[in-house]
């Protein structure tokens, strides 16, 4: 007669519930997918609190590329779905702005935007000046970082910008601004009339005033850098935000923003004056 002398583990009744957890192995994501990078980035690389309810922070989430939304000279914007498999409540589509790698990028941002900004690393500063391969890589990181900081700062200040979800290298994940389930059009693509036209101008005036109170100008504001989500406007493309004091041409950029905005509204029949707007913003900045 033989006996099994192998040790037996504790029964389920003997297990301490504090050490019992449900473990389910996850399959590797497929092509065009990755596990969520939310917990992979530093805390300061995640969006400011209080975070909107739609932000998915679960490490079980999977990011899926849905395609290109917009292409540009320095960066492309993709749609990315972040979702927890099997949990419809934890699913969101975001915009992923990805500054291009040095081999596919040609930066056209004028150095006039960056006057007054400091680069602590002297090697990086020399590389930027020489426009070497390393300098172009540094430039991409600087533009991404500048846009990230601007989005965080202005979102907390109540300026209508997309909520910044996270930054990872030269990729910024942010709110995907929609209208009726589709990507919100640029203001330049719309044809508002009457009260809506006046409301749009008032919203832009208030946004520009909020920026001025923080000592900055958008620097490249136009109907092409504003989204129209129904009756709500959202300002986008902020990497070149200009310091009105540190940048010696800051006031020139502010005046140009006023000109671009007012010219569009005047062409559609709204009586506004760029010099009056500039004077109002200047008073906010002082």
């Amino acid at each position: 007669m033989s006996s099994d002398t192998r040790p037996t583990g504790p029964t389920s009744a003997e297990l301490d519930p504090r050490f019992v957890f449900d473990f389910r192995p996850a399959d590797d994501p497929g092509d065009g997918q990755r596990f969520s990078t939310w917990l992979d980035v530093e805390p300061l690389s995640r969006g400011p609190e209080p975070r909107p309810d739609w932000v998915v922070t679960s490490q079980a989430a999977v990011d899926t590329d849905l395609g290109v939304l917009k292409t540009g000279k320095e960066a492309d914007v993709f749609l990315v779905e972040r979702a927890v498999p099997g949990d419809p409540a934890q699913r969101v589509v975001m915009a992923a702005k990805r500054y291009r790698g040095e081999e596919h990028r040609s930066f056209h941002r004028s150095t006039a935007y960056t006057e007054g900004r400091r680069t602590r690393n002297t090697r990086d500063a020399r590389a930027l000046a020489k426009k070497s391969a390393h300098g172009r890589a540094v430039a991409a990181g600087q533009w991404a970082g500048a846009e990230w900081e601007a989005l965080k700062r202005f979102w907390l200040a109540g300026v209508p910008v997309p909520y910044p979800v996270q930054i990872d290298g030269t990729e910024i994940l942010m709110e995907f601004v929609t209208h009726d389930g589709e990507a919100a059009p640029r203001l330049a693509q719309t044809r508002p009339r009457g009260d809506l036209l006046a409301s749009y101008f008032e919203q832009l005036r208030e946004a520009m005033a909020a920026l001025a109170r923080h000592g900055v100008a958008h620097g490249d504001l136009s109907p092409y850098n504003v989204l129209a989500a129904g009756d709500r406007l959202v300002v986008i493309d902020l990497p070149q935000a200009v310091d009105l004091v540190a940048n010696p041409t800051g006031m020139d950029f502010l005046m140009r923003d006023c000109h671009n905005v007012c010219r569009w509204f005047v062409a559609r029949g709204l009586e506004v004056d760029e010099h009056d707007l500039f004077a109002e913003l200047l008073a906010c900045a002082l």
Side-chain angles (χ1 to χ4, degrees):
M1 178 177 178
S2 63
S3 61
D4 190 347
T5 60
R6 290 177 298 178
T8 59
T11 65
S12 58
E14 296 171 324
L15 289 173
D16 188 328
R18 292 174 300 177
F19 297 96
V20 177
F21 60 93
D22 181 22
F23 174 77
R24 287 173 292 177
D27 295 330
D28 290 335
D31 292 339
Q33 292 184 312
R34 67 188 182 194
F35 287 115
S36 170
T37 56
W38 175 260
L39 292 181
D40 295 336
V41 300
E42 297 294 329
L44 291 178
S45 296
R46 302 175 197 143
E49 296 182 353
R51 298 188 181 105
D53 293 340
W54 53 261
V55 177
V56 176
T57 61
S58 172
Q59 191 66 356
V62 173
D63 293 347
T64 303
D65 271 7
L66 302 179
V68 178
L69 179 64
K70 174 184 175 292
T71 60
K73 294 178 180 178
E74 298 129 10
D76 298 322
V77 180
F78 295 78
L79 291 181
V80 173
E81 178 193 67
R82 175 166 289 175
V84 176
D87 188 353
Q90 296 196 67
R91 176 189 177 277
V92 65
V93 175
M94 300 175 291
K97 187 169 185 178
R98 298 169 182 165
Y99 282 84
R100 294 181 179 178
E102 61 195 47
E103 68 276 13
H104 300 297
R105 185 181 60 247
S106 175
F107 271 97
H108 293 265
R109 301 280 184 186
S110 169
T111 55
Y113 287 116
T114 58
E115 289 191 62
R117 297 183 187 175
R118 295 180 179 179
T119 301
R120 294 182 180 179
N121 188 304
T122 55
R123 176 173 177 262
D124 289 348
R126 290 195 300 270
L128 283 167
K130 294 179 180 179
K131 299 182 180 179
S132 65
H134 175 65
R136 293 194 299 272
V138 171
Q142 283 191 338
W143 286 115
E147 181 155 27
W148 170 253
E149 293 300 327
L151 284 169
K152 287 197 303 179
R153 179 182 180 186
F154 301 143
W155 188 85
L156 286 171
V159 180
V161 297
Y163 176 78
V165 177
Q166 70 176 71
I167 183 172
D168 187 5
T170 55
E171 178 191 70
I172 302 175
L173 293 178
M174 66 184 80
E175 175 186 0
F176 174 40
V177 182
T178 63
H179 176 57
D180 291 338
E182 301 291 337
R186 296 175 183 274
L187 179 60
Q189 298 172 305
T190 66
R191 297 293 181 268
R193 295 287 186 269
D195 291 343
L196 182 59
L197 183 68
S199 172
Y200 277 173
F201 178 78
E202 181 63 19
Q203 289 181 57
L204 271 186
R205 186 194 65 78
E206 291 178 357
M208 295 172 74
L211 292 176
R213 284 192 289 270
H214 282 78
V216 297
H218 184 285
D220 194 25
L221 190 61
S222 77
Y224 294 94
N225 287 332
V226 179
L227 300 179
D231 58 1
R232 178 176 70 99
L233 295 185
V234 179
V235 178
I236 60 171
D237 196 15
L238 291 158
Q240 73 292 312
V242 175
D243 190 303
L244 293 174
V245 176
N247 191 310
T249 57
M251 293 301 171
D252 294 334
F253 280 113
L254 181 63
M255 185 68 231
R256 190 176 73 175
D257 285 352
C258 294
H259 172 74
N260 290 340
V261 167
C262 289
R263 181 177 61 176
W264 189 84
F265 281 94
V266 168
R268 279 146 188 81
L270 190 66
E271 294 297 324
V272 293
D273 184 87
E274 62 189 67
H275 299 287
D276 290 344
L277 178 60
F278 178 76
E280 179 183 350
L281 299 180
L282 191 60
C284 292
L286 298 178

